[in-house]
Amino acid sequence: PMYSVDGGNTWSETIPASFTRLAVKNNIAASDLEAIKTAIDAQTAAADLDLSGSVYESSIFPAIFKGDLKLKSIVFPYNVNEVVEQAFSGCTGLTAADFSTIDRLNYRSFYNTALKKIVLDEHIKYLGGEVFRLCYWVEEIYYNVLPSASADGTGVFRWHKNDSTEPKAECVVTVGPDAAPISYFISDNRNVVKIIMEYNGEGDLKIGGNAWNRSWNLHTVIVKGTKGLLYGAGSVSEAGKNVSSTKYLVVPDGCTDLYKNHTQSQSFYSAFVTADNFTLIEQSAYDALQAGDQN
């Protein structure tokens, strides 16, 4: 392998002693990753690792960096498409990971990391349980994993430990137009303050059971559906419990009756308005309220 610490302007056959960003190209093996980890741990500050120009000996990325405190970000080798169980678990300095080449994320592979943004789009083929559990620093999540994907995913964004841990960052979750969230989607997650459901299919979207149980700081749920009514399967309770100001279930203009008259006992209306005291409001009225707050 060859190494660069200046953005690829110069390359060396040995890892430089000091760097804040390390790029690697050519073929690499597990032993090379071990050497890279050792070099990163020796730095005085956290370092970014760019492996996009390299080819790893396997398409599966190992757990060599598990518990590493100095790794700040990672871009995977372009031939890697899977991350093993707990590969980066406990990497509490890891703020960014590029999933553009990854289609399989296994159990707790990014558990207890400091990721700020998570993008899981339709190319994901497998999602293990609790992949991003306890990632308290996430500010933005985009989730569009297809229902046809082989996904367990239970509690994938389930932050809370059921103790006194408080949120570190406010988080907005956007569920893409083709996704069906899985069980315990953001259950026990006190960071999430807003959910945007982009789904606009012909039929009802079945949300996984207990999808947002005890999402205590959730104050806004925006749904885009004008054709299919959205409903949650399984218990939904205590959403927005910590919110003292008004909480909103925002629906498209002209769709108030569509949501109010849904016969399912686990409809969004019954879950959020009846059970958790959210106020049903149309999108234009909500936008006007937001504009007024800003003025």
Side-chain angles (χ1 to χ4, degrees), residues 75-181:
V75 182
F76 292 99
Y78 66 82
N79 68 311
V80 166
N81 60 20
E82 181 173 353
V83 179
V84 302
E85 290 187 5
Q86 302 196 53
F88 296 91
S89 176
C91 291
T92 55
L94 186 66
T95 61
D98 184 347
F99 300 113
S100 59
T101 66
I102 305 299
D103 58 30
R104 296 182 65 87
L105 291 165
N106 289 293
Y107 175 74
R108 290 193 174 185
S109 52
F110 286 86
Y111 175 89
N112 192 23
T113 58
L115 295 177
K116 293 185 178 297
K117 181 177 181 178
I118 297 171
V119 177
L120 301 175
D121 61 23
E122 55 276 9
H123 83 277
I124 297 291
K125 294 183 174 64
Y126 178 79
L127 187 64
E130 300 187 355
V131 173
F132 301 102
R133 186 171 181 178
L134 306 191
C135 293
Y136 291 115
W137 298 97
V138 175
E139 300 172 356
E140 181 181 352
I141 294 170
Y142 179 78
Y143 179 89
N144 197 35
V145 177
L146 302 180
S148 60
S150 175
D152 165 45
T154 301
V156 61
F157 303 119
R158 194 177 188 179
W159 279 201
H160 191 47
K161 299 182 188 177
N162 295 319
D163 60 21
S164 61
T165 302
E166 294 298 327
K168 305 296 192 304
E170 291 190 343
C171 181
V172 176
V173 178
T174 300
V175 179
D178 304 311

Side-chain angles (χ1 to χ4, degrees), residues 5 7 13 18 31 39-40 44 46 88 96 100 113 122 144 146 151 153 161 165 187 195 209 215 220 223 250 257 292:
V5 298
E13 293 183 355
S18 178
S31 58
I40 289 176
T44 56
F88 296 91
S100 59
T113 58
E122 55 276 9
N144 197 35
L146 302 180
K161 299 182 188 177
T165 302
S187 177
I195 299 173
S215 51
T220 304
V223 293
V250 185
D257 290 341

Side-chain angles (χ1 to χ4, degrees), residues 2 19 43 51 87 111 129 166 169 174-175 235:
M2 301 289 287
F19 57 86
Q43 303 306 306
L51 301 173
Y111 175 89
E166 294 298 327
T174 300
V175 179
S235 171

Side-chain angles (χ1 to χ4, degrees), residues 114-284:
L115 295 177
K116 293 185 178 297
K117 181 177 181 178
I118 297 171
V119 177
L120 301 175
D121 61 23
E122 55 276 9
H123 83 277
I124 297 291
K125 294 183 174 64
Y126 178 79
L127 187 64
E130 300 187 355
V131 173
F132 301 102
R133 186 171 181 178
L134 306 191
C135 293
Y136 291 115
W137 298 97
V138 175
E139 300 172 356
E140 181 181 352
I141 294 170
Y142 179 78
Y143 179 89
N144 197 35
V145 177
L146 302 180
S148 60
S150 175
D152 165 45
T154 301
V156 61
F157 303 119
R158 194 177 188 179
W159 279 201
H160 191 47
K161 299 182 188 177
N162 295 319
D163 60 21
S164 61
T165 302
E166 294 298 327
K168 305 296 192 304
E170 291 190 343
C171 181
V172 176
V173 178
T174 300
V175 179
D178 304 311
I182 33 67
S183 297
Y184 295 92
F185 183 57
I186 59 166
S187 177
D188 300 295
N189 189 326
R190 297 184 185 180
N191 295 67
V192 175
V193 296
K194 181 186 291 186
I195 299 173
I196 302 169
M197 304 291 297
E198 292 185 341
Y199 175 77
N200 197 23
E202 296 291 340
D204 292 350
L205 173 64
K206 298 181 180 180
I207 307 301
N210 306 289
W212 17 81
N213 277 10
R214 298 175 296 278
S215 51
W216 287 359
N217 293 309
L218 178 66
H219 59 66
T220 304
V221 179
I222 299 175
V223 293
K224 304 291 188 180
T226 59
K227 300 176 182 177
L229 293 164
L230 303 110
Y231 66 93
S235 171
V236 177
S237 64
E238 298 186 353
K241 177 180 177 180
N242 282 351
V243 180
S244 58
S245 57
T246 305
K247 300 175 289 187
Y248 295 104
L249 171 61
V250 185
V251 301
D253 289 359
C255 291
T256 299
D257 290 341
L258 186 71
Y259 282 86
K260 288 177 66 174
N261 296 334
H262 197 292
T263 58
Q264 292 287 341
S265 62
Q266 291 299 328
S267 69
F268 267 47
Y269 183 85
S270 63
F272 289 110
V273 177
T274 304
D276 290 312
N277 299 311
F278 280 63
T279 297
L280 186 69
I281 187 171
E282 292 189 346
Q283 184 72 58
S284 58

